[in-house]
Amino acid sequence: MNKIEIIAHRGASAVYPENTMIAFERALELGATGIETDVQMSADGRLVLIHDETLQRTAGTTGWVKDCTYEKLRTLDAGSWFHTNFAGESIPSLEMLLNLVQGKRILLNLELKNGIVPYKGMEEKVIQIIQEWNMEQQVVLSSFNHASLVKCKRIAPDIRTALLYMEKLYRPHDYAAKLEASGLHPYKLAVTKEEVAAALAQGMVTYPFTVNDPAEMKMMLDMGVQGIITDQPDVLASLKMVQIR
Ligand code: G3P
Ligand code: CA
């Protein structure tokens, strides 16, 4: 039996519109032990939860998140693109999600989406809010922007970081150790059993993404991962080989 983290990718995004409060709330009801979400920044410096830098795909309008005020972003419909039943779901602020998970035994994985738009001051703002909410132990910061994660570590050494990557790396645990990261969040095809074990030997967890197929979930569990990032937390929770932590 593996005690693993069941991390809901953008909430329970297989059945609810990604990165909305209903997707986060339902993820918890479906057995998630963690939530992954994407952080971007509004024109007036508010942290908001939306995957894309632009609004076209999930918020029904043109333009960039970085060019809209928070007030404007809050008026947008982030549910209808998924299904008309979810019309009226909005783009949440970071604080709205903190409010949902604070005090619960839920891991919060905040992915800083600052690879395409280099949001100035994003690291400081995210960390300030985590500290104000006293959630340093509950949060893991991840990013494909590894320089940003090093910056986070310098600002707040007690907040965990995890490296996101797509391709197979050579000794990723050694690289991660150099960056003082606590975890590896590889694309599922970049995971190997040997590297999962080597990472664990250095005290680092491996949480691959985005694994939705039960056969692939089992393959990852056989490789010894400590958690899985999935759109379908209920499917992962129902596997016989999973013991929910
Ligand atoms: O954190 C894992 C995964 O979310 C990274 O890719 O594009 O889904 O944000 P993406
Ligand atoms: Ca993400």
Side-chain angles (χ1 to χ4, degrees), residues 126-180:
V126 170
I127 287 167
Q128 188 187 345
I129 292 173
I130 294 168
Q131 289 172 338
E132 280 168 7
W133 285 66
N134 294 315
M135 290 174 70
E136 293 94 330
Q137 302 309 312
Q138 205 176 339
V139 169
V140 175
L141 299 174
S142 66
S143 186
F144 289 101
N145 180 345
H146 300 172
S148 175
L149 293 177
V150 170
K151 183 174 175 187
C152 290
K153 206 71 205 171
R154 289 201 179 123
I155 302 170
D158 56 335
I159 299 178
R160 286 170 287 173
T161 58
L163 308 185
L164 278 165
Y165 55 97
M166 292 298 296
E167 307 294 341
K168 284 186 192 292
L169 300 179
Y170 177 67
R171 296 177 68 87
H173 45 283
D174 286 344
Y175 172 59
K178 202 167 170 190
L179 275 51
E180 296 178 53

Side-chain angles (χ1 to χ4, degrees), residues 151-225:
K151 183 174 175 187
C152 290
K153 206 71 205 171
R154 289 201 179 123
I155 302 170
D158 56 335
I159 299 178
R160 286 170 287 173
T161 58
L163 308 185
L164 278 165
Y165 55 97
M166 292 298 296
E167 307 294 341
K168 284 186 192 292
L169 300 179
Y170 177 67
R171 296 177 68 87
H173 45 283
D174 286 344
Y175 172 59
K178 202 167 170 190
L179 275 51
E180 296 178 53
S182 316
L184 304 174
H185 291 190
Y187 178 55
K188 59 190 176 185
L189 299 182
V191 182
T192 68
K193 191 171 187 161
E194 294 69 30
E195 284 162 5
V196 171
L200 191 62
Q202 292 193 33
M204 261 171 233
V205 292
T206 302
Y207 301 159
F209 73 91
T210 304
V211 189
N212 294 328
D213 174 44
E216 283 187 347
M217 288 174 178
K218 286 179 191 161
M219 213 158 66
M220 294 294 134
L221 295 169
D222 280 338
M223 285 199 251
V225 301

Side-chain angles (χ1 to χ4, degrees), residues 9-10 36-38 51 109 111 113 142 144 164 166 185 207-210 229:
H9 180 241
R10 314 180 193 173
E36 187 268 358
T37 188
D38 305 293
H51 179 272
N109 175 198
E111 180 188 345
K113 283 283 184 202
S142 66
F144 289 101
L164 278 165
M166 292 298 296
H185 291 190
Y207 301 159
F209 73 91
T210 304
I229 300 171

Side-chain angles (χ1 to χ4, degrees), residues 89-100:
E89 280 298 321
S90 51
I91 300 172
S93 65
L94 172 60
E95 290 89 337
M96 289 167 75
L97 180 56
L98 296 187
N99 190 47
L100 175 69

Side-chain angles (χ1 to χ4, degrees), residues 24-36:
F24 300 138
E25 286 157 7
R26 295 294 184 268
L28 303 187
E29 292 166 14
L30 291 172
T33 63
I35 288 175
E36 187 268 358

